[in-house]
Amino acid sequence: VREVNDIKKGEQLKIGRLLKVPQNTYNPNRTKKKDVIVKKKTTPKKVKIAKYTIKRGDTLSSIARKHYISLDKLKSLNGLKNSTKLRLGRVIKIPRTKANAPRLRLAKAKKLKLKRAKEKARAKARNKIRIAKAKASRTKSSNRNKKKRKKYTLGDIFFSHLNKSSTKKSNSIISLAKKKLGRRYVWGATGGKNTFDCSGLTTYVYKKNGIKLPRRAIAQSKVGKRVSRNNLKKGDLIFFDTSRRLKGYVNHVGIYIGNNKFIHASSAKKKVVITSLNKPFYSQRFRGGRRM
């Protein structure tokens, strides 16, 4: 009645007011809208799946019993029929339940352990093969070295005393040069007051050993026999271009003492020092060696 006449709840009715009365609207069995209970749709829980590989002697029944599940559930999950033949190595799905979860975990752990063991065995086998190959190559090289006998020339036989004397002289040159280690660098000095510049040191040391050298480094680089870096021997002179912009000419000299080291009067260090030939500064500025 309120709805048809637009009357609010609790509103007072005036005497003489006309009301519309709807017909056939009363139904005592009808539930109110707010009393209608709406049931929520429940989504089925996702079944956790494990995988199982068919082994020899397996049947659907034995697999179902082993994993505590019904045969019908196993068939429906994998789309299998009674007539379906199980092939060895085929992978089927197993629903994970509270009953079979520990068994599935154990099976997974065993599978992982087996996989790791196989990988370890393969790595061990590869390592053995590598060691065997290395041993074989070493044996071959040693046999090759044994077969290669040292060949002597007539020069080695008749001039061996000269080689010995040159070695002796080289040692004498290096020994004298080492005695000057720490002596002060003075430009133009050749030993006066025990002071030297680079070519002054080489001139002094070689003169004391019976070899006369030109005074300047650039002139010294033009006498004797030219020697490459790989063929340097103790007592050889080695030459450098130490100019900032690498002008391409020799302006520094030292005496090679072996093991990629040389002794020289260094203007940078202000004294006679031993330096490695592997240092980038000197390695990049190396201009060759000379043997007297």
Side-chain angles (χ1 to χ4, degrees):
V1 172
R2 278 202 303 269
E3 188 180 342
V4 172
N5 292 281
D6 194 21
I7 298 169
K8 293 178 182 178
K9 193 174 182 180
E11 188 178 333
Q12 289 183 353
L13 299 178
K14 291 181 181 180
I15 296 170
R17 179 176 177 177
L18 290 172
L19 294 176
K20 296 174 185 175
V21 179
Q23 301 295 315
N24 303 323
T25 58
Y26 179 66
N27 187 358
N29 297 321
R30 190 180 68 179
T31 56
K32 294 179 181 177
K33 284 185 180 180
K34 62 181 179 182
D35 295 333
V36 175
I37 299 167
V38 180
K39 290 184 179 179
K40 290 183 181 178
K41 290 182 181 179
T42 54
T43 53
K45 289 183 180 179
K46 286 186 179 179
V47 180
K48 290 184 179 179
I49 301 295
K51 290 179 181 178
Y52 178 80
T53 307
I54 303 296
K55 297 170 188 172
R56 192 177 293 279
D58 278 341
T59 62
L60 286 175
S61 302
S62 67
I63 294 167
R65 281 197 304 273
K66 193 190 290 183
H67 293 94
Y68 307 107
I69 53 173
S70 68
L71 184 59
D72 292 335
K73 196 171 184 178
L74 182 64
K75 284 180 185 177
S76 65
L77 187 63
N78 292 280
L80 301 172
K81 296 177 182 178
N82 290 332
S83 59
T84 306
K85 289 183 179 180
L86 297 178
R87 291 181 183 177
L88 288 175
R90 178 176 175 176
V91 177
I92 61 171
K93 297 172 186 176
I94 303 290
R96 189 186 290 271
T97 62
K98 286 184 180 179
N100 67 14
R103 184 184 287 271
L104 290 171
R105 276 199 298 271
L106 186 63
K108 191 177 179 181
K110 280 183 179 178
K111 194 176 180 181
L112 188 62
K113 192 176 180 181
L114 184 65
K115 188 181 177 182
R116 284 175 181 170
K118 283 181 180 178
E119 285 175 356
K120 198 174 180 181
R122 284 195 208 101
K124 202 173 181 180
R126 283 197 297 270
N127 197 32
K128 278 184 179 179
I129 291 165
R130 192 162 53 248
I131 291 167
K133 282 183 179 178
K135 280 183 179 178
S137 66
R138 279 200 296 269
T139 308
K140 279 183 183 178
S141 63
S142 63
N143 290 339
R144 239 184 263 118
N145 292 335
K146 283 178 185 177
K147 286 177 184 177
K148 284 182 182 178
R149 292 181 180 179
K150 191 175 179 181
K151 294 179 181 180
Y152 294 95
T153 63
L154 287 173
D156 293 329
I157 297 166
F158 292 106
F159 300 107
S160 60
H161 65 287
L162 294 176
N163 293 333
K164 286 178 183 176
S165 65
S166 66
T167 304
K168 191 176 179 181
K169 187 165 278 188
S170 297
N171 290 336
S172 176
I173 286 168
I174 292 166
S175 177
L176 179 58
K178 283 184 175 178
K179 285 178 183 177
K180 304 303 176 183
L181 280 170
R183 297 298 180 185
R184 196 158 54 91
Y185 174 94
V186 175
W187 187 82
T190 57
K193 298 181 181 179
N194 253 338
T195 57
F196 305 91
D197 65 6
C198 64
S199 57
L201 176 67
T202 54
T203 306
Y204 175 86
V205 170
Y206 270 74
K207 187 178 180 181
K208 291 289 181 181
N209 283 276
I211 300 169
K212 191 176 180 181
L213 292 176
R215 172 66 186 86
R216 296 177 64 208
I218 193 166
Q220 290 177 14
S221 68
K222 294 174 183 177
V223 296
K225 181 185 175 184
R226 186 171 180 79
V227 184
S228 66
R229 182 172 172 176
N230 293 333
N231 295 315
L232 288 171
K233 288 184 180 179
K234 291 180 179 180
D236 288 344
L237 291 177
I238 53 176
F239 301 91
F240 305 90
D241 173 9
T242 58
S243 57
R244 285 185 182 179
R245 295 184 182 179
L246 294 174
K247 294 178 181 178
Y249 58 81
V250 169
N251 61 2
H252 189 64
V253 62
I255 302 167
Y256 187 71
I257 62 172
N259 294 325
N260 264 327
K261 292 180 180 179
F262 66 101
I263 189 166
H264 62 123
S266 169
S267 59
K269 300 287 183 181
K270 302 295 181 187
K271 59 184 176 180
V272 178
V273 292
I274 291 173
T275 306
S276 172
L277 194 52
N278 290 331
K279 275 195 170 184
F281 179 84
Y282 289 102
S283 182
Q284 291 166 9
R285 289 165 167 74
F286 181 76
R287 288 291 173 269
R290 288 279 174 174
R291 189 169 296 151
M292 301 304 154

